Amino acid sequence: MRSLREPMRSVTGVTFEAMLEKIRYEGAYPTRERAEAVTHAVLSALGRQLTGDERVELAARLPVEAARILTAQIPVSDLLTGWGFVKEIATRHGGTPATARWDTGAVLATVGRIAGSDLLDRILAQLPSGYALLFGRAELIQAA
């Protein structure tokens, strides 16, 4: 039985605190609170974009607190491109597109590492163009 004082862990064993510390480092944020606010904004936006098994599997791999943020959102029917995703975050949270792009990259690069390569491949296959770069990957486009 788990102690109530023990941090809640995901199936990958990452705690929310460790995830936030990695995001704080990646984004060069001055405080944990800023890293947490950015994480909440980006995971909420991602929760509106993901559906199906990928959403469920990602939630299972994330720390419980992060999974709750992701899954509290109702997915939309019209998915945003990667650039649309960044602009939505800027609009909803009062930043510029440049700062929203920075925040998105800091969070999604960490989320991508937690998800693992196979799940991230499936997530990217589900989303419109532009998300690979946000997750820290090159986006390769097949010639027609």
Side-chain angles (χ1 to χ4, degrees):
M1 176 175 243
R2 190 177 72 77
S3 165
L4 293 177
R5 293 184 184 197
E6 180 182 326
M8 296 182 89
R9 296 181 189 270
S10 67
V11 296
T12 58
V14 176
T15 65
F16 190 57
E17 290 74 23
M19 180 181 163
L20 287 178
E21 192 54 39
K22 183 66 176 165
I23 291 167
R24 180 178 176 196
Y25 177 79
E26 291 285 329
Y29 299 115
T31 64
R32 180 188 183 280
E33 291 76 21
R34 177 68 182 137
E36 189 168 1
V38 164
T39 300
H40 194 280
V42 174
L43 286 177
S44 292
L46 184 61
R48 290 187 291 278
Q49 300 298 305
L50 285 181
T51 60
D53 293 341
E54 290 77 18
R55 177 185 171 102
V56 172
E57 205 170 319
L58 179 59
R61 293 183 187 194
L62 290 173
V64 173
E65 299 87 341
R68 285 184 184 137
I69 297 167
L70 179 84
T71 59
Q73 306 305 310
I74 297 170
V76 296
S77 57
D78 292 330
L79 297 180
L80 298 169
T81 63
W83 180 237
F85 182 81
V86 169
K87 289 193 305 187
E88 180 189 67
I89 290 172
T91 300
R92 282 183 183 251
H93 299 284
T96 66
T99 58
R101 170 61 182 94
W102 180 269
D103 295 343
T104 301
V107 174
L108 293 184
T110 301
V111 167
R113 283 191 290 278
I114 292 170
S117 185
D118 292 341
L119 176 56
L120 185 53
D121 287 344
R122 293 191 348 252
I123 288 170
L124 291 173
Q126 180 186 106
L127 295 170
S129 67
Y131 283 87
L133 289 173
L134 299 177
F135 279 97
R137 284 191 172 179
E139 184 156 359
L140 303 176
I141 300 172
Q142 191 171 23

